[in-house]
Amino acid sequence: MMRIAIAGTGGLAQCIAHHLAAGTYHQFILLSRAAKLTAKGWQVIVVDYNDHNSLRFKLHGVDTVISTVSGTAQIALIDAAASVHVRRFAPAEYEGPPALRPVQVVADRDKNASLTRLRYYSQHPQSRMSYTVFVCGILYERFAPGGMAASVIGVQSGISGEGDYLMNIRRMKARIPHYNAAGEVVHLCMTSAEDVGRFVVAALDLPQWPTEMRMCGERMSAPDVVRVAELVRGHIFERAYYPPEALQDALNYARYAQDGPEQLRLHALVATSEGRFDFQDPNLNGLVNIQPVRFANWLQARWTGQ
């Protein structure tokens, strides 16, 4: 039995906590800036990420930290965890493989800096804190009624609302990065937040953590993702296809117009066009006994009655 600390109380943290409580004997705490979720019977520890000594004290006895917070808060958490000899750390990634992400990226939220810190501590003789990045591609919840924000996921990202990514299912409109710069059809991997929680919890019992554990509910081409939504809604969507140069032109115009939200939406489409959410070796799928839900089944359940 391990003692787990989950940093954050948003939707993804709650999925992980739920599956820890329902399917394991591991003890866990949630680290939060404010007292939340106590009605669920979970132990919530209020933390100040600016208080290093207090954070160290609250991490004493913790085996594994699973973070869903980003920015300077996560960096402070990494430093505190390493200083009290936490054995393993999973940073707040939960998207495409970090190796596909540019060094300079819009709205990075210190993800690259966090990984640099983790690499350092994994080799430091006084720490040796191992880490893994959980890679899941695009969360299905981007396509839910209300978007990811309805599940309290990615609220600070600027693109968590309904219709902010790839298609607006309610309005039946889609902006599709169909082909990449090499002329190949764009693909993306996707997973539901619920299944991410199940995969992460199952991974806790693995004897060794590789530095990257990839999970995938379904890998599809961008046009096929829209086609599934059309079948669910029973209507053909208004489609706009964007080759890489058209995406760049649209992004340049959004910059000229100083339209910050549109820039974020277009950056996500550019990342999709560049294959940053695509991978073909979901190693975690083969390491644990989890059967993820298919995208069509998930989408049908979410939009029935809407």
Side-chain angles (χ1 to χ4, degrees):
M1 183 171 63
M2 289 177 278
R3 183 168 171 81
I4 314 298
I6 304 169
T9 54
L12 195 54
Q14 291 185 48
C15 285
I16 295 167
H18 167 76
H19 288 290
L20 270 171
T24 78
Y25 292 103
H26 298 312
Q27 297 178 348
F28 68 92
I29 58 173
L30 288 108
L31 307 178
S32 174
R33 293 181 176 93
K36 298 177 180 179
L37 305 179
T38 53
K40 293 180 177 285
W42 299 338
Q43 184 180 6
V44 179
I45 306 294
V46 176
V47 296
D48 178 357
Y49 289 105
N50 295 316
D51 188 334
H52 179 71
N53 289 332
S54 175
L55 200 52
R56 290 179 73 251
F57 176 77
K58 290 167 183 178
L59 288 174
H60 269 293
V62 167
D63 178 87
T64 302
V65 173
I66 301 170
S67 176
T68 66
V69 301
S70 55
T72 56
Q74 175 161 257
I75 291 174
L77 185 65
I78 292 168
D79 289 342
S83 70
V84 295
H85 306 292
V86 166
R87 185 169 65 96
R88 303 184 301 190
F89 196 106
E93 286 280 341
Y94 314 108
E95 50 181 25
L100 302 180
R101 186 170 62 225
V103 174
Q104 299 294 330
V105 63
V106 173
D108 169 70
R109 301 191 300 282
D110 289 320
K111 287 187 175 183
N112 286 335
S114 294
L115 288 177
T116 298
R117 209 66 145 241
L118 287 167
R119 293 187 193 104
Y120 168 77
Y121 285 126
S122 70
Q123 299 298 320
H124 196 284
Q126 294 182 357
S127 170
R128 297 290 184 182
M129 181 171 70
S130 66
Y131 72 94
T132 195
V133 170
F134 285 110
V135 171
C136 60
I138 292 294
L139 290 174
Y140 288 174
E141 280 69 16
R142 285 197 180 276
F143 308 113
M148 292 197 303
S151 299
V152 200
I153 298 173
V155 177
Q156 303 300 319
S157 68
I159 50 170
S160 64
E162 182 179 316
D164 279 346
Y165 176 72
L166 194 66
M167 58 185 170
N168 188 313
I169 294 176
R170 195 178 304 277
R171 296 181 179 179
M172 294 180 283
K173 295 182 178 182
R175 297 196 293 183
I176 306 171
H178 195 172
Y179 296 102
N180 61 22
E184 302 163 330
V185 175
V186 171
H187 284 75
L188 58 153
C189 293
M190 305 181 293
T191 315
S192 75
E194 190 73 22
D195 282 336
V196 171
R198 296 168 65 213
F199 273 112
V200 169
V201 169
L204 290 171
D205 292 328
L206 293 176
Q208 299 292 329
W209 271 13
T211 54
E212 193 171 292
M213 286 198 268
R214 299 176 297 277
M215 66 196 85
C216 182
E218 192 152 7
R219 179 178 183 265
M220 303 177 71
S221 72
D224 281 346
V225 173
V226 176
R227 191 169 295 115
V228 167
E230 290 174 334
L231 291 171
V232 167
R233 296 296 276 168
H235 292 277
I236 300 298
F237 286 11
E238 179 184 324
R239 294 182 174 208
Y241 291 96
Y242 283 74
E245 59 272 17
L247 282 175
Q248 192 59 54
D249 289 344
L251 183 56
N252 290 338
Y253 181 79
R255 287 172 179 150
Y256 171 79
Q258 297 183 330
D259 188 341
E262 177 68 353
Q263 289 180 55
L264 290 174
R265 289 189 288 267
L266 286 166
H267 275 295
L269 293 180
V270 169
T272 304
S273 175
E274 293 176 348
R276 289 190 231 158
F277 306 117
D278 186 28
F279 49 93
Q280 299 190 50
D281 180 22
N283 58 342
L284 188 53
N285 285 53
L287 292 173
V288 297
N289 185 26
I290 301 293
Q291 296 298 318
V293 64
R294 300 292 296 271
F295 178 61
N297 296 339
W298 182 93
L299 199 69
Q300 182 72 59
R302 292 303 181 279
W303 281 92
T304 295
Q306 294 288 324

